[in-house]
Amino acid sequence: MCSFYLFVALVLLPLFNTQSFAARSIDFHVGVILDLNSTTSPVGRIGMRCLKMALDDFYSVHGDYKTRLVLHPVDSNGSVVNAGGGALHLLRDVEVDAIIGPQKSAQVNFVMDLGDKAHVPIISFSATSPSLVHQTPYFVQTAQSDVNQVQAIASIIKAFSWTQVVVIYEDTEFGNGIIPFLSNALQDVNARVPYRSVLRESATDELISNELYKMMTNQTRVFVVHMTQFLGTRLFLKARELGMMTEGYVWIITSGMTDLFSSISSDVAEAMQGVLGVRPLIPKSNELNSFASRLRTIRQDNPDKYQDEMGIFGLWAYDTLWALGLAAERVGSSRSSSSTTENETRANFASPFTYKVSETGPEFLEAFLDTRFSGLSGEFHLVEGQLNQASYEIVNVVESIERPVGTWTPFSTSRATFRSIIWPGDSTKPPRGWEIPIKGKKLRIGVPKKLGFNDFLQVQTDNQTNETLVSGYYKAVFDSVMHALPYALPYEFVPYSFIKPGCSRNGNYNDLVFQVSLQNDYDGALGDITITANRSDYADFTMPFAEGGVACIVPIKSEDVDDLLIFLHPLTIQLWLTTAILYISTAMVTWILAKRVVQSSRETLSQHVGMSCILPFFPGEPIEVILICLILVTWAFVANLLSSTYTASLSSRLTVANLRGSVTNVEQLIANRDYVGYQDGSFLENYLIKLGFDQAKLKNYTSADGCKQALSLGSKNNGISAYCDVLPHIKVLLSQACGKYVMINPVYRTDGFAFAFPKAFPAVAAISRAIIRLMENGTIHNLEQQFLPKPECEVSDSSSPPLARVSLRSFSVLFAITGFVTLTCFFVSLALNLHNKTPLDQRIADLRANAYSRIRRYLKRDHLHSSPPAIEIAQIGQVAEIRPSSNDDVMEIEVIPSDH
């Protein structure tokens, strides 16, 4: 009997404990709104299966948790109304604490409002539209927002230098939400979106075909497809049917289709060969491998069910339920039953949408947003109500698999990360991203046909075959550039005549560029086409291949070297006047000083001047003599420099007189209101008017011979005083007419010659890069040497400088020095004369004594013992003879009476 009761106790005790635990557990009711039986999208089925697996796995690991999640699935059947009705049922009848779903973005837009009013979190792992975020604080996006993948798509466009992209998307909340962000991302990588193709979910096959054919007739060949699987698969089947899955095309699909590629049919997979796709990068882990193995087992055990593969949406659903379980446990015992406030009951009394407001909803939402862990899809971390941005994997559809070819991270990306890619048509060469539209087999390149100025480009028409014959430097450069492109680009030349048969004007360069922008008869243009701001408004230009700039030439003016006053030209008038004044002043001071010395002696002025160059070397000579010599030496130095400068300047003027132009600069032309010529059809008319020229004074010429003849006539004879043109043509004119014209200053800066193409022409960047390469390797320089006419003489880049005249400033320092010396000597002499009161007889005696002493020292220094000759000393009416005595230190002086 005891053994029986023991057996009953052992059997019933676990049941009792289980029931007691169940009674103690706290349930959190979670509604699930998905398209559970959809035939167009497997996301709902995959999500529900993963939620159930996550529920089992979570509580097998956390069996000690006192909270339990209870799922309440609702099938929305792809309808917004059903999704809204299901949400209302879950909020009002079940009183759920959270809702997972709905599946589509359009359904979420309606349901999130209900959750906001009920304070119940609406959590979606499949709605990826970025427009849903921040509409209500109670909506949480546990999937990667579509805005995160636009940078990965833009990195592909940038890596292969594609400049134009066509975006194809469906007209739904899912499709429209990504477009603003995608456009901005493409703009950041200098890619333009020339066309957007919008398709409704209900679009027929005929409508899809018509839309594809429209895109086929355009030149862009890079397409980004953002659609659900149902519409996207139909699009690719039609694209293959129209031949748009061949070589030269680029197709990029977003993560919405990339993640579900494994569930598409074999014929769709075959149609998508060569497609590139982006999807969130899933880190490898043992837990992920185990989960995938279990999911395959379920599929094998249920062969009659949908054979859906594991995808990123299923992993997000799995991690979402784990996050809810962790958040529920954090809220724990603070959870209480829902209640309805009195005011809300009254306000919603007559409304069919009456439901209670959750008291624990805000706390539950906060706990869920703060949850962070490592899940199957990677790091589960919510930032501002959405899953934190992760890295993206770039895959290539090859046969029936998606082959990884690159990885994009939020921090860096480059083309080097891409592995080999198989493009549509089984091509391994990256497509250029655009093709010539099917309406034209070749690019039609317009070439200007004109009467003159054909040194760089010659355009002729064969009268028999009517074929356009193009030759010259510009044509050779264009051919070389097009051959240097990484792809073949066929083209043909189409003439654009500037002159009608009656010799009247038919157009100009502006008209040619404008016709290129219209793309009616021309797809591009080459020639003497200068890049201007006006032309850039309606056309795109390549990198310039020839120098730019605007310059003017004038006839050379010959100066008359037989001019009677040409000797005055080297020096300025101020310098001539200053020199004359200084010369006269110096002469006057010298005469005054010399006169004083003459007055102090009986010598004549000529005698004293002769002694002035000898006596200063002997001490004791009058100070005036020394001052005179100082003045003369200083003035002689200045006069010698002035004479040398004058001689050099005169020689220079006589040498370069024939190199000067009739005018020296453009400002002088404008001030003189001279007639000026320019090349007919160019941009120079408006350019010269902006510089200040009178439009009535401008004349256009169709040939170089015409402007040469006009230059020879001059403005006064119904010709022109100057001719203005771009630098290449100016240099040709100067080289062909040596010694006749000269370039005047300034040379105005402009952009050079370039090839013109329509706006957003895809090949402009590639052509510009080819031009740069050919410039660097010398190809364009060699073509210039080969095709351009050989100059008959060397051409200077600038005009001969005007002949300068020596100015007063050049000699100001020397004149100041000589003036200072002259004045100083004059005032010193004046001061000595005023203070010197010695009588005249005494001064004469001193002069004699000084002369005697100097002679004695001279004789002693030379040790002369022979009798010196007699020295006559001029006195008033007497002659003295000096003889040496027996004493060396004494000289005998005998006064000889003079008859005079």
Side-chain angles (χ1 to χ4, degrees):
M1 191 67 177
C2 292
S3 61
F4 173 76
Y5 287 112
L6 180 61
F7 172 76
V8 172
L10 292 174
V11 172
L12 296 180
L13 183 60
L15 296 177
F16 175 78
N17 292 336
T18 302
Q19 293 175 358
S20 299
F21 178 79
R24 294 195 306 269
S25 64
I26 302 174
D27 292 337
F28 278 78
H29 298 277
V30 179
V32 181
I33 305 176
L34 297 172
D35 299 341
L36 300 178
N37 297 302
S38 174
T39 58
T40 60
S41 175
V43 174
R45 297 190 301 270
I46 296 174
M48 194 65 223
R49 182 179 303 152
C50 292
L51 287 174
K52 292 180 179 179
M53 295 177 65
L55 188 65
D56 295 337
D57 294 345
F58 182 81
Y59 288 111
S60 65
V61 175
H62 304 94
D64 57 340
Y65 277 16
K66 60 182 179 181
T67 57
R68 284 294 184 271
L69 299 180
V70 180
L71 300 182
H72 301 272
V74 174
D75 188 0
S76 61
N77 291 318
S79 170
V80 175
V81 176
N82 290 341
L88 186 60
H89 162 70
L90 294 173
L91 293 173
R92 184 175 56 188
D93 301 331
V94 183
E95 298 181 4
V96 294
D97 298 285
I99 294 178
I100 298 178
Q103 180 176 321
K104 298 181 179 179
S105 299
Q107 299 169 347
V108 172
N109 255 333
F110 181 75
V111 173
M112 70 166 59
D113 291 335
L114 300 177
D116 185 54
K117 293 180 180 179
H119 292 181
V120 172
I122 307 298
I123 305 168
S124 178
F125 62 84
S126 56
T128 57
S129 174
S131 62
L132 300 174
V133 184
H134 307 309
Q135 290 191 22
T136 169
Y138 282 89
F139 173 72
V140 183
Q141 203 172 43
T142 57
Q144 287 287 332
S145 173
D146 286 336
V147 72
N148 295 340
Q149 64 177 319
V150 298
Q151 299 295 336
I153 296 173
S155 70
I156 301 175
I157 305 299
K158 179 181 179 181
F160 294 98
S161 301
W162 295 319
T163 58
Q164 294 194 51
V165 178
V166 172
V167 180
I168 309 174
Y169 59 99
E170 64 179 44
D171 191 14
T172 60
E173 183 72 29
F174 164 75
N176 294 318
I178 194 178
I179 298 305
F181 303 96
L182 180 59
S183 299
N184 292 338
L186 294 176
Q187 184 177 0
D188 291 340
V189 296
N190 299 320
R192 179 172 169 264
V193 182
Y195 183 71
R196 296 179 183 178
S197 177
V198 187
L199 296 173
R200 300 191 305 270
E201 283 185 293
S202 60
T204 62
D205 290 345
E206 182 180 2
L207 180 61
I208 295 176
S209 298
N210 292 338
E211 191 67 19
L212 288 173
Y213 184 78
K214 184 189 302 183
M215 292 181 285
M216 186 179 179
T217 58
N218 295 325
Q219 59 187 7
T220 307
R221 292 295 181 264
V222 181
F223 304 100
V224 175
V225 180
H226 181 62
M227 292 180 172
T228 57
Q229 185 188 48
F230 174 70
L231 186 58
T233 53
R234 294 170 58 205
L235 176 76
F236 280 103
L237 288 174
K238 284 298 177 181
R240 182 182 63 174
E241 182 180 328
L242 294 177
M244 298 179 68
M245 298 303 300
T246 57
E247 185 176 358
Y249 285 88
V250 178
W251 294 89
I252 303 174
I253 58 177
T254 58
S255 61
M257 285 192 65
T258 306
D259 186 69
L260 300 176
F261 177 79
S262 58
S263 62
I264 64 176
S265 60
S266 58
D267 60 333
V268 177
E270 184 180 352
M272 295 178 64
Q273 294 300 299
V275 171
L276 290 180
V278 295
R279 64 186 180 191
L281 180 63
I282 303 175
K284 296 181 180 180
S285 64
N286 294 332
E287 292 79 5
L288 180 63
N289 295 334
S290 175
F291 179 78
S293 177
R294 291 162 52 200
L295 193 59
R296 285 193 297 269
T297 301
I298 295 175
R299 292 175 57 243
Q300 294 173 359
D301 295 340
N302 299 273
D304 296 334
K305 299 292 183 181
Y306 295 105
Q307 300 298 303
D308 301 319
E309 295 284 348
M310 180 190 68
I312 187 64
F313 292 106
L315 299 182
W316 284 335
Y318 187 95
D319 292 343
T320 298
L321 191 130
W322 273 64
L324 283 172
L326 295 173
E329 186 64 21
R330 289 181 60 185
V331 175
S333 59
S334 62
R335 186 206 188 286
S336 62
S337 60
S338 301
S339 63
T340 305
T341 63
E342 182 179 357
N343 292 336
E344 288 183 354
T345 302
R346 293 176 181 174
N348 297 287
F349 180 79
S351 173
F353 298 100
T354 303
Y355 46 83
K356 295 181 179 180
V357 176
S358 173
E359 294 181 354
T360 59
E363 184 181 2
F364 190 31
L365 174 64
E366 182 179 359
F368 182 78
L369 294 176
D370 292 339
T371 301
R372 186 170 182 176
F373 63 96
S374 295
L376 295 182
S377 63
E379 183 73 15
F380 187 90
H381 178 208
L382 299 174
V383 178
E384 296 183 355
Q386 61 181 338
L387 197 62
N388 190 32
Q389 186 176 16
S391 300
Y392 275 80
E393 185 178 34
I394 302 172
V395 297
N396 183 205
V397 177
V398 179
E399 296 180 351
S400 59
I401 62 173
E402 295 172 298
R403 183 170 59 92
V405 293
T407 302
W408 176 87
T409 65
F411 308 102
S412 64
T413 180
S414 64
R415 185 171 179 173
T417 60
F418 286 93
R419 294 180 285 275
S420 60
I421 298 175
I422 305 299
W423 303 95
D426 295 330
S427 174
T428 57
K429 184 179 180 180
R432 59 189 174 193
W434 65 277
E435 294 289 344
I436 302 173
I438 61 174
K439 62 183 179 183
K441 296 181 180 180
K442 296 181 178 180
L443 283 178
R444 298 156 298 175
I445 305 300
V447 288
K449 186 177 181 181
K450 49 188 181 177
L451 295 178
F453 300 104
N454 296 318
D455 300 281
F456 300 96
L457 186 68
Q458 298 84 41
V459 181
Q460 299 176 347
T461 302
D462 192 327
N463 296 329
Q464 297 180 353
T465 62
N466 201 29
E467 181 184 359
T468 301
L469 304 177
V470 182
S471 60
Y473 170 59
Y474 293 160
K475 191 259 184 182
V477 172
F478 187 82
D479 290 340
S480 300
V481 170
M482 302 306 282
H483 292 159
L485 294 177
Y487 42 77
L489 189 61
Y491 57 91
E492 62 182 355
F493 296 111
V494 181
Y496 180 82
S497 180
F498 281 12
I499 304 297
K500 292 182 179 179
C503 293
S504 60
R505 177 184 288 185
N506 183 51
N508 52 35
Y509 284 101
N510 287 337
D511 297 330
L512 174 58
V513 175
F514 183 71
Q515 291 298 321
V516 169
S517 68
L518 298 178
Q519 292 184 272
N520 292 330
D521 300 315
Y522 306 96
D523 300 312
L526 70 91
D528 309 338
I529 304 175
T530 301
I531 303 174
T532 64
N534 178 48
R535 296 170 182 173
S536 298
D537 290 338
Y538 49 85
D540 279 349
F541 291 90
T542 63
M543 179 73 64
F545 59 87
E547 65 176 331
V550 174
C552 299
I553 58 173
V554 296
I556 288 178
K557 174 185 177 182
S558 299
E559 291 190 352
D560 185 8
V561 296
D562 295 329
D563 187 1
L564 295 177
L565 299 179
I566 194 172
F567 69 93
L568 296 176
H569 292 177
L571 306 183
T572 62
I573 297 177
Q574 294 84 353
L575 182 57
W576 279 116
L577 294 176
T578 304
T579 303
I581 294 173
L582 194 61
Y583 180 82
I584 296 173
S585 301
T586 303
M588 291 181 62
V589 172
T590 304
W591 179 78
I592 293 172
L593 296 182
K595 184 177 180 182
R596 288 178 180 174
V597 175
V598 171
Q599 290 176 351
S600 65
S601 65
R602 295 300 179 184
E603 297 174 353
T604 64
L605 179 63
S606 59
Q607 291 174 333
H608 188 77
V609 171
M611 295 176 60
S612 298
C613 296
I614 300 175
L615 295 180
F617 295 99
F618 300 94
E621 192 63 28
I623 190 64
E624 286 82 355
V625 177
I626 299 176
L627 297 177
I628 290 174
C629 286
L630 183 60
I631 293 173
L632 292 178
V633 170
T634 305
W635 174 248
F637 177 74
V638 175
N640 183 57
L641 289 180
L642 185 61
S643 175
S644 301
T645 304
Y646 172 83
T647 303
S649 179
L650 181 60
S651 301
S652 175
R653 296 183 70 85
L654 294 177
T655 302
V656 302
N658 290 330
L659 298 180
R660 296 188 61 190
S662 55
V663 295
T664 58
N665 53 63
V666 174
E667 288 76 10
Q668 188 176 350
L669 284 175
I670 299 174
N672 295 341
R673 295 181 59 82
D674 292 332
Y675 284 95
V676 176
Y678 65 93
Q679 183 181 161
D680 183 43
S682 68
F683 71 99
L684 288 170
E685 181 179 7
N686 293 331
Y687 190 85
L688 294 176
I689 292 175
K690 291 180 180 179
L691 290 180
F693 286 95
D694 185 357
Q695 187 174 8
K697 298 294 182 180
L698 299 178
K699 297 183 178 181
N700 59 330
Y701 294 90
T702 58
S703 66
D705 294 336
C707 72
K708 291 178 183 178
Q709 183 179 1
L711 283 171
S712 63
L713 295 175
S715 292
K716 296 181 180 180
N717 299 315
N718 200 26
I720 55 176
S721 297
Y723 174 76
C724 300
D725 207 336
V726 291
L727 272 179
H729 286 291
I730 289 294
K731 290 187 176 182
V732 170
L733 286 174
L734 291 176
S735 66
Q736 293 175 349
C738 297
K740 293 184 179 181
Y741 311 110
V742 66
M743 191 188 308
I744 61 175
N745 291 321
V747 176
Y748 295 97
R749 171 70 177 172
T750 63
D751 285 328
F753 295 161
F755 306 130
F757 291 96
K759 273 290 187 181
F761 187 69
V764 169
I767 294 175
S768 296
R769 287 191 292 268
I771 292 174
I772 295 174
R773 287 195 297 268
L774 295 183
M775 283 184 173
E776 291 181 351
N777 62 26
T779 300
I780 292 182
H781 176 73
N782 295 335
L783 292 174
E784 182 179 352
Q785 299 297 321
Q786 178 183 353
F787 284 91
L788 292 187
K790 298 298 184 293
E792 299 176 4
C793 59
E794 292 296 329
V795 179
S796 175
D797 289 339
S798 60
S799 62
S800 299
L803 295 175
R805 306 177 70 183
V806 182
S807 64
L808 175 62
R809 181 180 177 83
S810 303
F811 283 86
S812 58
V813 175
L814 292 176
F815 284 170
I817 293 175
T818 187
F820 174 77
V821 171
T822 301
L823 292 177
T824 301
C825 293
F826 175 75
F827 286 117
V828 168
S829 175
L830 181 62
L832 293 177
N833 186 64
L834 293 176
H835 291 82
N836 192 354
K837 303 299 182 179
T838 307
L840 180 60
D841 295 341
Q842 182 64 37
R843 292 171 60 192
I844 295 174
D846 294 341
L847 175 62
R848 292 175 177 174
N850 290 336
Y852 169 73
S853 300
R854 286 198 297 272
I855 293 173
R856 284 186 56 201
R857 286 194 295 271
Y858 180 79
L859 294 175
K860 282 185 175 183
R861 185 169 56 249
D862 293 341
H863 304 284
L864 297 177
H865 301 286
S866 61
S867 297
I871 300 177
E872 293 184 357
I873 301 178
Q875 297 182 11
I876 300 176
Q878 295 180 348
V879 176
E881 182 179 358
I882 304 176
R883 296 183 178 89
S885 63
S886 57
N887 188 356
D888 293 339
D889 296 331
V890 178
M891 298 291 292
E892 294 180 357
I893 299 177
E894 180 181 357
V895 178
I896 303 173
S898 175
D899 295 336
H900 303 287

